[in-house]
Amino acid sequence: MDELLRSRLEMESITTDMVKHCSYCVMISPDPLHRTPVYCIKYSGSNTPILVNLATCLTCGDFKKCGLGFEQS
Protein backbone atom coordinates (compact mmCIF):
# COMPACT_ATOMS: atom_id res chain seq x y z
CA MET A 1 0.00 0.00 0.00
CA ASP A 2 2.83 2.36 0.83
CA GLU A 3 4.39 1.76 -2.58
CA LEU A 4 1.08 2.48 -4.31
CA LEU A 5 0.73 5.79 -2.47
CA ARG A 6 4.34 6.72 -3.29
CA SER A 7 3.76 5.95 -6.97
CA ARG A 8 0.59 8.04 -7.01
CA LEU A 9 2.37 10.97 -5.38
CA GLU A 10 5.20 10.79 -7.92
CA MET A 11 2.74 10.84 -10.83
CA GLU A 12 0.86 13.77 -9.33
CA SER A 13 4.13 15.63 -8.84
CA ILE A 14 5.05 15.17 -12.50
CA THR A 15 1.57 16.24 -13.63
CA THR A 16 1.67 19.27 -11.33
CA ASP A 17 5.01 20.31 -12.83
CA MET A 18 3.41 20.19 -16.28
CA VAL A 19 0.22 22.12 -15.51
CA LYS A 20 1.70 24.82 -13.27
CA HIS A 21 2.70 26.78 -16.38
CA CYS A 22 -0.87 27.03 -17.66
CA SER A 23 -2.05 30.60 -18.15
CA TYR A 24 -5.29 29.81 -16.29
CA CYS A 25 -3.60 28.27 -13.25
CA VAL A 26 -3.51 30.70 -10.35
CA MET A 27 -2.07 28.37 -7.71
CA ILE A 28 -1.59 24.70 -6.91
CA SER A 29 -2.13 23.38 -3.40
CA PRO A 30 1.08 22.11 -1.78
CA ASP A 31 -0.85 19.20 -0.22
CA PRO A 32 -0.15 16.19 -2.49
CA LEU A 33 -3.26 14.35 -1.29
CA HIS A 34 -5.65 17.22 -2.08
CA ARG A 35 -8.39 15.96 -4.43
CA THR A 36 -8.76 19.27 -6.28
CA PRO A 37 -5.39 20.99 -5.92
CA VAL A 38 -5.48 23.40 -8.87
CA TYR A 39 -6.92 26.90 -8.58
CA CYS A 40 -8.13 27.61 -12.12
CA ILE A 41 -9.83 30.69 -13.59
CA LYS A 42 -10.73 29.15 -16.96
CA TYR A 43 -13.86 27.37 -15.79
CA SER A 44 -14.95 29.97 -13.25
CA GLY A 45 -15.76 32.65 -15.81
CA SER A 46 -14.18 35.35 -13.64
CA ASN A 47 -10.95 36.23 -11.89
CA THR A 48 -12.02 34.17 -8.90
CA PRO A 49 -10.52 30.70 -9.31
CA ILE A 50 -12.33 27.44 -8.72
CA LEU A 51 -10.72 24.23 -7.53
CA VAL A 52 -10.23 21.52 -10.16
CA ASN A 53 -8.42 18.21 -10.21
CA LEU A 54 -5.36 17.38 -12.31
CA ALA A 55 -7.42 15.29 -14.73
CA THR A 56 -9.36 18.43 -15.66
CA CYS A 57 -6.09 20.20 -16.45
CA LEU A 58 -4.87 17.34 -18.60
CA THR A 59 -8.18 17.29 -20.48
CA CYS A 60 -8.09 21.05 -21.06
CA GLY A 61 -4.52 20.87 -22.40
CA ASP A 62 -3.86 24.61 -22.16
CA PHE A 63 -0.60 23.88 -20.35
CA LYS A 64 0.80 22.68 -23.70
CA LYS A 65 0.67 26.24 -25.02
CA CYS A 66 3.39 27.33 -22.60
CA GLY A 67 6.05 26.15 -25.05
CA LEU A 68 7.99 23.95 -22.64
CA GLY A 69 7.77 20.87 -24.84
CA PHE A 70 5.00 19.02 -23.02
CA GLU A 71 3.43 17.17 -25.90
CA GLN A 72 1.55 13.91 -25.93
CA SER A 73 3.09 11.09 -27.94
Side-chain angles (χ1 to χ4, degrees):
M1 182 71 170
D2 188 41
E3 191 170 321
L4 179 63
L5 179 61
R6 189 175 319 118
S7 175
R8 178 177 169 222
L9 292 176
E10 286 176 18
M11 284 301 295
E12 288 184 6
S13 174
I14 292 167
T15 306
T16 300
D17 286 342
M18 289 173 25
V19 302
K20 72 181 178 184
H21 300 286
C22 176
S23 59
Y24 296 110
C25 181
V26 177
M27 185 178 94
I28 298 177
S29 172
D31 179 8
L33 297 177
H34 199 282
R35 293 187 74 179
T36 52
V38 181
Y39 291 74
C40 176
I41 59 172
K42 180 176 184 175
Y43 298 107
S44 70
S46 69
N47 288 335
T48 305
I50 60 170
L51 293 170
V52 298
N53 60 24
L54 291 170
T56 302
C57 293
L58 293 176
T59 301
C60 166
D62 197 78
F63 66 93
K64 296 176 192 174
K65 297 177 184 175
C66 69
L68 295 175
F70 296 122
E71 297 179 13
Q72 290 179 337
S73 5

